[in-house]
Amino acid sequence: MRYSSLALLRQGIAGHGGWPQAWRSAALQPSYDAVIIGGGGHGLAAAYYLAKLHRLRRIAVLEKGWIGGGNTGRNTTIVRSNYFFPQSVALYDFALRQYEQLSAELNYNIMLSQRGVIYLGHSDHDMETMARAVNAMQINGIDTELLDAAQVRAEVPLANFAADARFPIHGAFIQRRGGIARHDAVAWGYARAADGLGVDIIQNCEVTGFRIDNNRVRAVETTQGPVAAGVVGLSVSGHSGVFAGMAGFRLPITSYALQAMVSEPIKPALNVVASSWATGMYVSQSDKGELVFGAGLDLYPSYAQRGNLPTTQAIVAAMTEIFPPFRRLKMLRQWAGIVDVPWDYSPILGPSPVGNLYLNAGWGTGGFKATPAGGYFLAHAMATGGHHPISAPFDLSRFARAALIDEAAGAGIAH
Ligand code: FAD
Ligand code: PYC
């Protein structure tokens, strides 16, 4: 929907009470041609592409809570495509290119800010590893550059450049097309566009099981009753393993809590997304002025959607060692999300062992940046029964074929 400047002004003066709902509150129907489980960014994007590109009708997205309330609303919004292997670059750069035109496509401002993502190196070893990574990325066509310490100082002047710093800065590498995007807006933009194409978005509808017959899902059981489904897409982030169990197979993933936090808002202090390879700490400044930061996984398998104090302490320690002025900031809040991490840190996409059940799983700590790709390739698999060439290397069968795509370092913070 488009509004004239006068209509916008009237809404502002009248207290914003007159906006129409951005998507319908649809009632669950007894059957659909396609059912997507999980109303995060990926599930909503899949519904949108199924309706838009594959012209499917009678599509439902089933979400146990509210849309975007899972990891889509809990992540730290970093987008980038600086991965090591060509298969990963094809996947994540496809997503980044979608992001670059998504506000226009959805007519919804996703607030993409390509301010650059910089990785600080703290030792000769870091710099050698970075040189190798940058070479691989450049061969794959990704816009990455190595920077020396003087160039890094121009990008992050508040960092600690003292020679005796605990994490001295030897150099860095940067992807300038990387940055951040507003996570909620990505979910809401896809939701509104999917709804406009007739998709039913059903919130407060938990999927509790499958009715499987002859190796096909005939219906999904929900807290609002059973729903017959022609084809089913699984897009439940940290709960993929639970669903695989319901469907009678196992996925090679482990689920962990990943936490992040924000400070009070301050004036502009950091122009790029800054990350430290050795500590896993990363930080960016939100449009409201808060510093948003986090680090690696608490490597204790868990479904408890909360962080813990020792991990918080380690993250804050790394952040304040590297950016001493941030020691004075007050912390506002801290949270966590459950992420499902495959053995090779790459996602699992496409067909599952159950005939008409398709997977969009295993995005681990890095799936926000891939939201348009996860949705696009899940829709492709559900509509065609097979893979798009970009998603094919990420098939579940790679674990049986020993064709792993080991992106432990590319995953940014998962190592
Ligand atoms: P979700 O948004 O989690 O959607 C899945 C949905 O499934 C949820 O809404 C959930 O409620 C629903 N669901 C689960 N079980 C059921 C059920 N039984 N019935 C119905 N619905 C169900 N990635 C990046 O690229 N950049 C980052 O900076 C980044 N930072 C992160 C920071 C943190 C703290 C965390 C936790 C993750 C981060 N990630 C990041 C990873 C990223 O958040 C996820 O990979 C991505 O958001 C997954 O999107 P999704 O749509 O698949 O999942
Ligand atoms: O994938 O860039 C990333 C990331 C940063 C923090 C969590 N994931």
Side-chain angles (χ1 to χ4, degrees), residues 279-304:
T279 66
M281 184 283 303
Y282 62 95
V283 55
S284 70
Q285 190 164 22
S286 78
D287 299 313
K288 285 185 280 186
E290 302 153 334
L291 290 167
V292 181
F293 62 103
L297 292 165
D298 180 7
L299 283 171
Y300 180 83
S302 170
Y303 284 108

PDB file of all heavy atoms in Angstrom, residues 279-304:
ATOM      1  N   THR A 279      38.547 -13.766  19.350  1.00  0.00           N
ATOM      2  CA  THR A 279      37.650 -13.860  20.509  1.00  0.00           C
ATOM      3  C   THR A 279      36.226 -14.212  20.101  1.00  0.00           C
ATOM      4  O   THR A 279      35.421 -14.597  20.952  1.00  0.00           O
ATOM      5  CB  THR A 279      37.586 -12.518  21.261  1.00  0.00           C
ATOM      6  OG1 THR A 279      36.970 -11.558  20.404  1.00  0.00           O
ATOM      7  CG2 THR A 279      38.964 -12.032  21.661  1.00  0.00           C
ATOM      8  N   GLY A 280      35.879 -14.018  18.812  1.00  0.00           N
ATOM      9  CA  GLY A 280      34.508 -14.248  18.367  1.00  0.00           C
ATOM     10  C   GLY A 280      33.598 -13.069  18.654  1.00  0.00           C
ATOM     11  O   GLY A 280      32.451 -13.017  18.192  1.00  0.00           O
ATOM     12  N   MET A 281      34.083 -12.069  19.397  1.00  0.00           N
ATOM     13  CA  MET A 281      33.252 -10.911  19.740  1.00  0.00           C
ATOM     14  C   MET A 281      32.953 -10.082  18.486  1.00  0.00           C
ATOM     15  O   MET A 281      33.811  -9.938  17.622  1.00  0.00           O
ATOM     16  CB  MET A 281      34.011 -10.063  20.764  1.00  0.00           C
ATOM     17  CG  MET A 281      33.272  -8.875  21.305  1.00  0.00           C
ATOM     18  SD  MET A 281      33.148  -7.416  20.259  1.00  0.00           S
ATOM     19  CE  MET A 281      34.835  -6.986  19.911  1.00  0.00           C
ATOM     20  N   TYR A 282      31.721  -9.562  18.407  1.00  0.00           N
ATOM     21  CA  TYR A 282      31.384  -8.657  17.308  1.00  0.00           C
ATOM     22  C   TYR A 282      30.474  -7.565  17.849  1.00  0.00           C
ATOM     23  O   TYR A 282      29.767  -7.762  18.846  1.00  0.00           O
ATOM     24  CB  TYR A 282      30.708  -9.403  16.145  1.00  0.00           C
ATOM     25  CG  TYR A 282      29.405 -10.043  16.552  1.00  0.00           C
ATOM     26  CD1 TYR A 282      28.195  -9.387  16.357  1.00  0.00           C
ATOM     27  CD2 TYR A 282      29.384 -11.293  17.156  1.00  0.00           C
ATOM     28  CE1 TYR A 282      26.997  -9.972  16.746  1.00  0.00           C
ATOM     29  CE2 TYR A 282      28.197 -11.876  17.552  1.00  0.00           C
ATOM     30  CZ  TYR A 282      27.004 -11.207  17.343  1.00  0.00           C
ATOM     31  OH  TYR A 282      25.827 -11.776  17.746  1.00  0.00           O
ATOM     32  N   VAL A 283      30.499  -6.405  17.196  1.00  0.00           N
ATOM     33  CA  VAL A 283      29.699  -5.282  17.676  1.00  0.00           C
ATOM     34  C   VAL A 283      29.326  -4.376  16.506  1.00  0.00           C
ATOM     35  O   VAL A 283      30.116  -4.182  15.584  1.00  0.00           O
ATOM     36  CB  VAL A 283      30.457  -4.489  18.791  1.00  0.00           C
ATOM     37  CG1 VAL A 283      31.835  -4.036  18.334  1.00  0.00           C
ATOM     38  CG2 VAL A 283      29.649  -3.296  19.297  1.00  0.00           C
ATOM     39  N   SER A 284      28.087  -3.852  16.570  1.00  0.00           N
ATOM     40  CA  SER A 284      27.669  -2.840  15.593  1.00  0.00           C
ATOM     41  C   SER A 284      26.800  -1.837  16.339  1.00  0.00           C
ATOM     42  O   SER A 284      26.387  -2.087  17.477  1.00  0.00           O
ATOM     43  CB  SER A 284      26.880  -3.473  14.445  1.00  0.00           C
ATOM     44  OG  SER A 284      25.616  -3.902  14.911  1.00  0.00           O
ATOM     45  N   GLN A 285      26.555  -0.709  15.703  1.00  0.00           N
ATOM     46  CA  GLN A 285      25.692   0.291  16.353  1.00  0.00           C
ATOM     47  C   GLN A 285      24.354   0.327  15.632  1.00  0.00           C
ATOM     48  O   GLN A 285      24.303   0.464  14.398  1.00  0.00           O
ATOM     49  CB  GLN A 285      26.356   1.673  16.331  1.00  0.00           C
ATOM     50  CG  GLN A 285      25.599   2.672  17.199  1.00  0.00           C
ATOM     51  CD  GLN A 285      26.396   3.919  17.536  1.00  0.00           C
ATOM     52  OE1 GLN A 285      27.350   4.260  16.837  1.00  0.00           O
ATOM     53  NE2 GLN A 285      25.993   4.620  18.586  1.00  0.00           N
ATOM     54  N   SER A 286      23.281   0.207  16.391  1.00  0.00           N
ATOM     55  CA  SER A 286      21.953   0.182  15.773  1.00  0.00           C
ATOM     56  C   SER A 286      21.551   1.596  15.368  1.00  0.00           C
ATOM     57  O   SER A 286      22.164   2.580  15.780  1.00  0.00           O
ATOM     58  CB  SER A 286      20.922  -0.390  16.746  1.00  0.00           C
ATOM     59  OG  SER A 286      20.567   0.593  17.698  1.00  0.00           O
ATOM     60  N   ASP A 287      20.488   1.677  14.575  1.00  0.00           N
ATOM     61  CA  ASP A 287      20.023   3.000  14.136  1.00  0.00           C
ATOM     62  C   ASP A 287      19.538   3.838  15.314  1.00  0.00           C
ATOM     63  O   ASP A 287      19.490   5.054  15.238  1.00  0.00           O
ATOM     64  CB  ASP A 287      18.918   2.839  13.100  1.00  0.00           C
ATOM     65  CG  ASP A 287      19.444   2.089  11.881  1.00  0.00           C
ATOM     66  OD1 ASP A 287      20.525   2.453  11.404  1.00  0.00           O
ATOM     67  OD2 ASP A 287      18.798   1.127  11.443  1.00  0.00           O
ATOM     68  N   LYS A 288      19.185   3.178  16.427  1.00  0.00           N
ATOM     69  CA  LYS A 288      18.765   3.921  17.631  1.00  0.00           C
ATOM     70  C   LYS A 288      19.964   4.373  18.446  1.00  0.00           C
ATOM     71  O   LYS A 288      19.817   5.084  19.423  1.00  0.00           O
ATOM     72  CB  LYS A 288      17.873   3.029  18.507  1.00  0.00           C
ATOM     73  CG  LYS A 288      16.480   2.861  17.940  1.00  0.00           C
ATOM     74  CD  LYS A 288      15.586   2.085  18.885  1.00  0.00           C
ATOM     75  CE  LYS A 288      15.848   0.598  18.769  1.00  0.00           C
ATOM     76  NZ  LYS A 288      14.923  -0.229  19.540  1.00  0.00           N
ATOM     77  N   GLY A 289      21.169   3.878  18.108  1.00  0.00           N
ATOM     78  CA  GLY A 289      22.381   4.290  18.819  1.00  0.00           C
ATOM     79  C   GLY A 289      22.902   3.270  19.804  1.00  0.00           C
ATOM     80  O   GLY A 289      23.985   3.440  20.370  1.00  0.00           O
ATOM     81  N   GLU A 290      22.129   2.180  20.018  1.00  0.00           N
ATOM     82  CA  GLU A 290      22.610   1.148  20.954  1.00  0.00           C
ATOM     83  C   GLU A 290      23.774   0.393  20.328  1.00  0.00           C
ATOM     84  O   GLU A 290      23.811   0.213  19.113  1.00  0.00           O
ATOM     85  CB  GLU A 290      21.495   0.124  21.207  1.00  0.00           C
ATOM     86  CG  GLU A 290      20.217   0.710  21.757  1.00  0.00           C
ATOM     87  CD  GLU A 290      19.002  -0.138  21.373  1.00  0.00           C
ATOM     88  OE1 GLU A 290      19.052  -0.845  20.348  1.00  0.00           O
ATOM     89  OE2 GLU A 290      18.011  -0.067  22.111  1.00  0.00           O
ATOM     90  N   LEU A 291      24.687  -0.093  21.163  1.00  0.00           N
ATOM     91  CA  LEU A 291      25.692  -1.024  20.650  1.00  0.00           C
ATOM     92  C   LEU A 291      25.140  -2.427  20.817  1.00  0.00           C
ATOM     93  O   LEU A 291      24.725  -2.824  21.907  1.00  0.00           O
ATOM     94  CB  LEU A 291      26.999  -0.860  21.412  1.00  0.00           C
ATOM     95  CG  LEU A 291      27.672   0.476  21.081  1.00  0.00           C
ATOM     96  CD1 LEU A 291      28.771   0.776  22.054  1.00  0.00           C
ATOM     97  CD2 LEU A 291      28.187   0.504  19.657  1.00  0.00           C
ATOM     98  N   VAL A 292      25.090  -3.138  19.711  1.00  0.00           N
ATOM     99  CA  VAL A 292      24.548  -4.498  19.686  1.00  0.00           C
ATOM    100  C   VAL A 292      25.749  -5.421  19.601  1.00  0.00           C
ATOM    101  O   VAL A 292      26.545  -5.289  18.684  1.00  0.00           O
ATOM    102  CB  VAL A 292      23.676  -4.688  18.431  1.00  0.00           C
ATOM    103  CG1 VAL A 292      23.085  -6.082  18.402  1.00  0.00           C
ATOM    104  CG2 VAL A 292      22.600  -3.623  18.347  1.00  0.00           C
ATOM    105  N   PHE A 293      25.900  -6.342  20.541  1.00  0.00           N
ATOM    106  CA  PHE A 293      27.090  -7.188  20.463  1.00  0.00           C
ATOM    107  C   PHE A 293      26.866  -8.587  21.015  1.00  0.00           C
ATOM    108  O   PHE A 293      25.889  -8.866  21.709  1.00  0.00           O
ATOM    109  CB  PHE A 293      28.300  -6.509  21.098  1.00  0.00           C
ATOM    110  CG  PHE A 293      28.179  -6.212  22.570  1.00  0.00           C
ATOM    111  CD1 PHE A 293      28.817  -7.016  23.484  1.00  0.00           C
ATOM    112  CD2 PHE A 293      27.461  -5.133  23.021  1.00  0.00           C
ATOM    113  CE1 PHE A 293      28.732  -6.754  24.844  1.00  0.00           C
ATOM    114  CE2 PHE A 293      27.364  -4.857  24.371  1.00  0.00           C
ATOM    115  CZ  PHE A 293      28.000  -5.664  25.284  1.00  0.00           C
ATOM    116  N   GLY A 294      27.805  -9.456  20.638  1.00  0.00           N
ATOM    117  CA  GLY A 294      27.710 -10.847  21.070  1.00  0.00           C
ATOM    118  C   GLY A 294      29.029 -11.531  20.771  1.00  0.00           C
ATOM    119  O   GLY A 294      30.023 -10.878  20.461  1.00  0.00           O
ATOM    120  N   ALA A 295      29.018 -12.851  20.853  1.00  0.00           N
ATOM    121  CA  ALA A 295      30.214 -13.635  20.517  1.00  0.00           C
ATOM    122  C   ALA A 295      29.764 -15.054  20.200  1.00  0.00           C
ATOM    123  O   ALA A 295      28.624 -15.249  19.779  1.00  0.00           O
ATOM    124  CB  ALA A 295      31.242 -13.585  21.643  1.00  0.00           C
ATOM    125  N   GLY A 296      30.640 -16.021  20.427  1.00  0.00           N
ATOM    126  CA  GLY A 296      30.369 -17.385  19.985  1.00  0.00           C
ATOM    127  C   GLY A 296      29.353 -18.125  20.832  1.00  0.00           C
ATOM    128  O   GLY A 296      28.762 -17.592  21.781  1.00  0.00           O
ATOM    129  N   LEU A 297      29.174 -19.383  20.481  1.00  0.00           N
ATOM    130  CA  LEU A 297      28.199 -20.236  21.149  1.00  0.00           C
ATOM    131  C   LEU A 297      28.638 -20.603  22.555  1.00  0.00           C
ATOM    132  O   LEU A 297      29.841 -20.726  22.816  1.00  0.00           O
ATOM    133  CB  LEU A 297      28.068 -21.536  20.363  1.00  0.00           C
ATOM    134  CG  LEU A 297      27.430 -21.424  18.990  1.00  0.00           C
ATOM    135  CD1 LEU A 297      27.705 -22.680  18.187  1.00  0.00           C
ATOM    136  CD2 LEU A 297      25.934 -21.201  19.162  1.00  0.00           C
ATOM    137  N   ASP A 298      27.674 -20.809  23.434  1.00  0.00           N
ATOM    138  CA  ASP A 298      27.923 -21.500  24.682  1.00  0.00           C
ATOM    139  C   ASP A 298      27.835 -22.991  24.301  1.00  0.00           C
ATOM    140  O   ASP A 298      26.744 -23.503  24.059  1.00  0.00           O
ATOM    141  CB  ASP A 298      26.823 -21.128  25.679  1.00  0.00           C
ATOM    142  CG  ASP A 298      27.015 -21.816  27.003  1.00  0.00           C
ATOM    143  OD1 ASP A 298      28.060 -22.458  27.188  1.00  0.00           O
ATOM    144  OD2 ASP A 298      26.108 -21.702  27.842  1.00  0.00           O
ATOM    145  N   LEU A 299      28.982 -23.674  24.211  1.00  0.00           N
ATOM    146  CA  LEU A 299      28.998 -25.010  23.596  1.00  0.00           C
ATOM    147  C   LEU A 299      28.485 -26.095  24.542  1.00  0.00           C
ATOM    148  O   LEU A 299      29.173 -27.078  24.844  1.00  0.00           O
ATOM    149  CB  LEU A 299      30.403 -25.333  23.088  1.00  0.00           C
ATOM    150  CG  LEU A 299      30.758 -24.625  21.772  1.00  0.00           C
ATOM    151  CD1 LEU A 299      32.228 -24.803  21.433  1.00  0.00           C
ATOM    152  CD2 LEU A 299      29.880 -25.106  20.617  1.00  0.00           C
ATOM    153  N   TYR A 300      27.305 -25.873  25.022  1.00  0.00           N
ATOM    154  CA  TYR A 300      26.642 -26.829  25.895  1.00  0.00           C
ATOM    155  C   TYR A 300      25.269 -27.055  25.277  1.00  0.00           C
ATOM    156  O   TYR A 300      24.432 -26.145  25.284  1.00  0.00           O
ATOM    157  CB  TYR A 300      26.511 -26.207  27.292  1.00  0.00           C
ATOM    158  CG  TYR A 300      25.852 -27.079  28.314  1.00  0.00           C
ATOM    159  CD1 TYR A 300      26.577 -28.039  28.998  1.00  0.00           C
ATOM    160  CD2 TYR A 300      24.491 -26.942  28.598  1.00  0.00           C
ATOM    161  CE1 TYR A 300      25.966 -28.845  29.943  1.00  0.00           C
ATOM    162  CE2 TYR A 300      23.877 -27.743  29.543  1.00  0.00           C
ATOM    163  CZ  TYR A 300      24.611 -28.690  30.205  1.00  0.00           C
ATOM    164  OH  TYR A 300      24.013 -29.492  31.132  1.00  0.00           O
ATOM    165  N   PRO A 301      25.012 -28.227  24.671  1.00  0.00           N
ATOM    166  CA  PRO A 301      23.748 -28.424  23.961  1.00  0.00           C
ATOM    167  C   PRO A 301      22.559 -28.118  24.864  1.00  0.00           C
ATOM    168  O   PRO A 301      22.512 -28.561  26.021  1.00  0.00           O
ATOM    169  CB  PRO A 301      23.781 -29.905  23.585  1.00  0.00           C
ATOM    170  CG  PRO A 301      25.234 -30.251  23.557  1.00  0.00           C
ATOM    171  CD  PRO A 301      25.873 -29.410  24.625  1.00  0.00           C
ATOM    172  N   SER A 302      21.611 -27.330  24.347  1.00  0.00           N
ATOM    173  CA  SER A 302      20.524 -26.869  25.216  1.00  0.00           C
ATOM    174  C   SER A 302      19.363 -26.337  24.392  1.00  0.00           C
ATOM    175  O   SER A 302      19.553 -25.789  23.308  1.00  0.00           O
ATOM    176  CB  SER A 302      21.064 -25.746  26.113  1.00  0.00           C
ATOM    177  OG  SER A 302      20.020 -25.122  26.793  1.00  0.00           O
ATOM    178  N   TYR A 303      18.147 -26.486  24.943  1.00  0.00           N
ATOM    179  CA  TYR A 303      16.975 -25.825  24.361  1.00  0.00           C
ATOM    180  C   TYR A 303      16.492 -24.704  25.272  1.00  0.00           C
ATOM    181  O   TYR A 303      15.386 -24.198  25.109  1.00  0.00           O
ATOM    182  CB  TYR A 303      15.840 -26.836  24.129  1.00  0.00           C
ATOM    183  CG  TYR A 303      16.097 -27.706  22.912  1.00  0.00           C
ATOM    184  CD1 TYR A 303      16.433 -29.047  23.038  1.00  0.00           C
ATOM    185  CD2 TYR A 303      16.008 -27.170  21.630  1.00  0.00           C
ATOM    186  CE1 TYR A 303      16.678 -29.834  21.928  1.00  0.00           C
ATOM    187  CE2 TYR A 303      16.251 -27.951  20.509  1.00  0.00           C
ATOM    188  CZ  TYR A 303      16.584 -29.274  20.662  1.00  0.00           C
ATOM    189  OH  TYR A 303      16.834 -30.045  19.554  1.00  0.00           O
ATOM    190  N   ALA A 304      17.292 -24.314  26.252  1.00  0.00           N
ATOM    191  CA  ALA A 304      16.893 -23.229  27.156  1.00  0.00           C
ATOM    192  C   ALA A 304      17.165 -21.903  26.447  1.00  0.00           C
ATOM    193  O   ALA A 304      18.309 -21.584  26.173  1.00  0.00           O
ATOM    194  CB  ALA A 304      17.692 -23.311  28.444  1.00  0.00           C
TER     195      ALA A 304
END
